[in-house]
Amino acid sequence: MDISNIKVLVVDDEIAVCSNVAAFLEDEGFRVFSAVSGEEALDILLKQKIDVAIIDMRLPGIDGDMLIVK
């Protein structure tokens, strides 16, 4: 399986967590998009077809629950 075609969205308001998870996934060969808010994640989702998302459930503003529903 060629994982370089799998697009992963990482959403976490803690920048260090978001960056570390994204960096790990990129090192493994995934195509990674990251966002530090639900609003930023929605903007990415409007522009990209995402295959998998790793979402912090406790985000300010649009939280993880609301983001999953949208």
Side-chain angles (χ1 to χ4, degrees):
M1 175 196 279
D2 181 16
I3 62 174
S4 65
N5 293 326
I6 298 174
K7 296 179 183 177
V8 180
L9 174 61
V10 178
V11 186
D12 198 308
D13 60 324
E14 293 184 42
I15 295 171
V17 172
C18 191
S19 296
N20 287 334
V21 172
F24 173 79
L25 292 169
E26 286 172 347
D27 288 347
E28 293 298 314
F30 294 96
R31 183 156 179 216
V32 180
F33 299 85
S34 59
V36 294
S37 69
E39 293 81 2
E40 187 178 352
L42 282 177
D43 187 47
I44 292 169
L45 289 167
L46 290 172
K47 298 174 184 171
Q48 295 291 328
K49 180 188 175 295
I50 298 296
D51 299 302
V52 177
I54 301 170
I55 303 170
D56 180 2
M57 298 307 286
R58 294 183 181 156
L59 297 167
I62 296 176
D63 65 11
D65 284 331
M66 289 174 31
L67 184 58
I68 289 170
V69 172
K70 295 190 181 259

